[in-house]
Each structure stands twice: as C-alpha cells, then as structure tokens.
Amino acid sequence: MDNSANRLLVVDDQPDILDFVGQVAESVGYSVRLANDARQFRDAVRAFQPTLMILDLQMPQTDGIELIRELGMLGTRATILISSGMDQRVLQSAEQLGLSHGLKMAGFLQKPIMLADLEAILGQHLCAPRVPTEEELRRAIDRAQLLVHYQPKCTLRDGRWAVAGVEGLIRWEHPELGLVYPDAFISLAEKTGLIAALTDFVLQEGIRQLGLWRAQGTNLDLSVNLSPHLVRELDFPDRLADLMRAHQLPNSRLMLEITETAALEDPARTRDILTRLRVKDFGLSLDDFGTGFSSLTQLYRMPFNELKVDKSLGMELHQSGEARTIVRSLIDLAHNLGLRVCTEGVETPGALAFLETAGSDYVQGYYLGRPMAATAIPPLVADPPALAATA
Ligand code: C2E
Ligand code: MG
Ligand code: MG
C-alpha cells in the first residue's frame, strides 16, 4: 500500500476530468489514483485505501449511488466528495444516503470544476498526519469523548449464521479530527498508562450495554480487547467478577481477547491471572493469531479457550489457496487442542462458505456486519441478514 498520508482516488468516466483533477491534486500534495469504471474503482479502494475520494454521480454502467452503497458495505474510512453537474436536491439526497451508511461525506464539487475551487477543497482535506496528543487523550477520557462500537460475531444455528455475540471496539469522537479509530491511539494509551482508564471504560460501558440488551430480551456474549499491561494486575479477575455481578450477568458471557505478544510477557504472572480468569468462567481468546511473533506454545501454556484467526488471513480467503490452507490447518490445530475458533476479516460470501466447510465456530467481518452503534445490534439479532448456510 502507498504510505503517504494523503491518498486521493478520483472516479469519473471522462478521461480529461481525471487528468485535470489528478494533476492538480498531485501539485497540492496528494498521491493519486484514477478510476474510470466500477472495476478499477473497487480495485483501488481495496489496494490503495484512499483517504479522500472524488466520486462522479453520473457514470455509464454503474452509477455513483451504487458506489456509495458499496462503500458503506465496505466500511471505508475515506472522506467522500461528490462531483456532479446535477441539481442540488439530487446531490443532497446522495449525501444523505452516504451519511446513513456511516460514510464521511464532505460535500460537493460542482461541475464544471473550476481550478480555484478544486485547489481550495483539496487543500482543506489535506491532512497533515496530525496525531492525537497525551493531553488530548486524557481530556477525552474526562470529557466522555470515547465510545464503543459493537461488531457482530456469528455462529451457525439451525443451518443459518446467527449473531451470538459482539466485540466491543473503542472509538474516539475527537473535537477536531472527527471519529478516530483505535490504531491511532492505543499505543499512545499504552505508553502513557492511560490504557487502564480506557479499558475500564470499555469494560464498564460494554457490560452495562450487555445488561441492557439482556433486559430487553437479547442475550449476547461480549468480547473485549485487553491490553498486555492489564494482564499484570493481580486483582483484575476479582474486579471484573464484581462488575459482572453488579449487572447480574454470568461471567461466561464475557470473553477477553489478548494478543500473542501480550501473552508472551512475564509468563508466570500472566499465567496466574489468566488461569484465575478461566476459573471464574470468563472466556479467554488469543487475538490476532497468525501475525507478528506467533508462538504456538502459548496455545497450550496459557488457558485460552478461543483462537482468533487474524483478519489479514480472513481477508485473503476468497483469493488465496495458501490462506485457505493455513486457516484450515489453524482450525484443526485449535480443535485438536480443545479450543474454539473465530475467524476475522470475513468480507465475501466465498470466504464465509469456505469457513463453514472448514469448521470455523465463529466468524466476524464486514460481510456479516461492521462495528456499529449499540442500538443497531438488537434488530440485527432479531432479523439476521439472509446468510443461509451452504453446506
Ligand atoms: P482487533 O481486536 O483484531 O479488532 C478487529 C479489527 O478489525 C477492528 O478494527 C475491526 O473494525 C476490523 N475488522 C473487522 N472485520 C473486518 C473486515 O472484514 N475487514 C477489515 N478490513 N477489517 C475488519 P478497529 O476497530 O479499528 O480496531 C483495531 C484494533 O484496535 C483491534 O483489533 C484491537 O487490537 C484494538 N482495540 C480496539 N478496541 C480496543 C480496546 O478497547 N482496548 C484495546 N486494548 N485495544 C482495542
Ligand atoms: Mg480483538
Ligand atoms: Mg483481531
């Protein structure tokens, strides 16, 4: 992938417009990709991961509305500008559609495109790779700028994929930067010790939400990511059990996801805490398996009861025979060790069909549902997307 901070994808069926916008954008400081049909567009979204898109609403085979819907399904984080010569009402309803899919819609570029307008708008969206500071993160915790989104985790029930649980994923509603995703601040939180407060927030909020759903008749499991630094506090299992009790939830409803590297550090103390968590009936999942410093030994040294196959493998299943072989082997390995398997990064029906045959106990990915606000979960549980099993 291109590593520059400003990556622009321009989609238009007119080559002269593509050239014009592309040249101006490069002079302003963007790295640019041009697409003049839907296939090129899809390839570029995946491989180039643009930060900004300029999308023409009127295209011959696929229209811009269809592309907006697709971007919604893909969960793209790019900012989107609509370019068109159409009347304001059409543009506004296209923008509304994008917003309702959770996209970052940033307005319009009226055609014919004027050089000065284009330079101004591209300049506005040029992001200096500004990263949040420690002070801002501290304030975010105090001022309730953090929130939790929930991504469905599905399992096969009566021949259909049904939502069995959710993974709570933290987000930061930053006053200037907008919605900030965890990759941009988890390591800062870990370095500064703020990770403890942040994790407390996710646990408290997630468990409260689980209690609320249960009171409304929706019984779900919750998975929460646990930072390495917290697997050192000896009183953690007891604090967690108190929190579950306060919401009248059985401990077995909570799964803690820990990464391999976390499990590697300070093994004796880690094993003490993890074992006590398991004795109390909390679930333990080895997250992001298949990346970084994989150590198979963690699987039998530590009391995990779930293995989570990393999304980088899940995302390759539909196109890579090697990925399919690796995932199939990991599933068998985990099952032979008595662990359940959850495969992440399921983005296509092909990947889902493969995982069903390979025997993945749980699946998680954009194809089954993106991380979403708590209110969107019960409707999804009641009326799951039509994902009939294929086997
Ligand atoms: P993770 O625990 O492996 O979470 C899954 C990540 O993969 C999420 O990104 C999710 O949005 C993304 N994802 C899920 N399905 C798909 C898919 O089909 N395709 C693609 N391309 N991506 C998919 P997110 O929310 O940005 O989280 C990134 C990482 O940040 C998480 O990875 C986790 O390690 C960390 N994180 C998130 N919340 C917390 C938290 O509360 N505490 C700690 N310590 N870490 C957290
Ligand atoms: Mg996780
Ligand atoms: Mg993961």
Side-chain angles (χ1 to χ4, degrees), residues 102-338:
L103 298 173
K104 283 191 199 162
M105 305 302 292
F108 319 110
L109 195 59
Q110 201 68 41
K111 279 185 175 174
I113 302 172
M114 299 296 158
L115 177 62
D117 292 348
L118 182 61
E119 280 177 341
I121 207 156
L122 288 173
Q124 272 167 28
H125 291 283
L126 202 57
C127 65
R130 155 128 149 64
V131 284
T133 65
E134 173 179 355
E135 199 36 50
E136 285 179 315
L137 185 56
R138 209 176 285 282
R139 260 185 279 145
I141 297 169
D142 293 343
R143 297 190 187 166
Q145 289 170 4
L146 299 178
L147 58 126
V148 183
H149 276 178
Y150 300 89
Q151 184 176 34
K153 189 173 159 184
C154 299
T155 193
L156 270 181
R157 244 180 236 148
D158 304 326
R160 292 181 87 81
W161 291 101
V163 183
V166 289
E167 177 173 3
L169 294 158
I170 192 155
R171 272 92 183 89
W172 175 3
E173 190 74 70
H174 190 287
E176 288 159 36
L177 301 175
L179 200 62
V180 183
Y181 290 85
D183 288 340
F185 61 90
I186 291 293
S187 64
L188 172 70
E190 283 174 342
K191 266 186 242 138
T192 54
L194 290 168
I195 190 72
L198 190 146
T199 307
D200 265 356
F201 166 77
V202 178
L203 283 167
Q204 303 225 10
E205 182 56 23
I207 292 169
R208 186 189 69 84
Q209 187 58 59
L210 207 58
L212 268 179
W213 282 328
R214 186 181 158 109
Q216 296 163 1
T218 306
N219 275 307
L220 291 169
D221 295 333
L222 171 72
S223 297
V224 169
N225 295 284
L226 204 59
S227 174
H229 303 261
L230 299 165
V231 194
R232 303 221 182 97
E233 291 174 23
L234 289 170
D235 66 341
F236 179 68
D238 293 314
R239 283 200 288 126
L240 209 51
D242 289 345
L243 194 57
M244 293 299 275
R245 204 173 306 115
H247 290 272
Q248 298 172 321
L249 289 161
N251 291 353
S252 58
R253 288 256 168 231
L254 185 68
M255 171 77 81
L256 298 160
E257 297 192 358
I258 302 165
T259 53
E260 300 164 54
T261 34
L264 286 169
E265 290 166 21
D266 197 359
R269 182 181 278 239
T270 308
R271 194 177 316 128
D272 175 327
I273 297 167
L274 297 187
T275 307
R276 276 190 300 126
L277 284 168
R278 286 292 295 134
V279 168
K280 290 184 190 297
D281 218 17
F282 290 109
L284 280 183
S285 180
L286 186 53
D287 201 357
D288 297 352
F289 197 82
T291 58
F293 314 93
S294 289
S295 165
L296 285 172
T297 28
Q298 299 306 319
L299 279 180
Y300 70 89
R301 285 226 185 108
M302 301 288 177
F304 290 104
N305 61 329
E306 182 185 85
L307 181 145
K308 216 157 175 190
V309 177
D310 190 66
K311 62 171 182 278
S312 58
L313 282 166
M315 286 162 67
E316 288 298 309
L317 287 175
H318 69 289
Q319 61 173 21
S320 158
E322 281 93 354
R324 288 194 289 275
T325 304
I326 293 171
V327 171
R328 201 190 290 278
S329 311
L330 288 181
I331 293 173
D332 290 344
L333 171 76
H335 284 170
N336 288 334
L337 292 169

Side-chain angles (χ1 to χ4, degrees), residues 25-104:
E26 271 173 3
S27 73
V28 172
Y30 284 86
S31 167
V32 179
R33 288 283 183 293
L34 308 173
N36 67 9
D37 62 27
R39 199 183 53 76
Q40 286 181 3
F41 159 80
R42 288 186 191 107
D43 289 348
V45 170
R46 175 178 280 275
F48 180 56
Q49 300 199 358
T51 53
L52 179 67
M53 286 186 211
I54 298 181
L55 201 63
D56 182 14
L57 273 191
Q58 292 157 300
M59 306 231 294
Q61 290 124 4
T62 329
D63 62 69
I65 299 292
E66 210 168 314
L67 297 185
I68 289 175
R69 199 175 304 118
E70 266 187 58
L71 290 171
M73 301 285 290
L74 286 171
T76 180
R77 293 171 186 180
T79 300
I80 299 166
L81 279 165
I82 296 176
S83 73
S84 179
M86 300 193 77
D87 86 66
Q88 205 64 20
R89 289 217 328 277
V90 180
L91 296 182
Q92 268 158 8
S93 78
E95 169 129 315
Q96 279 308 318
L97 177 77
L99 290 171
S100 73
H101 280 293
L103 298 173
K104 283 191 199 162

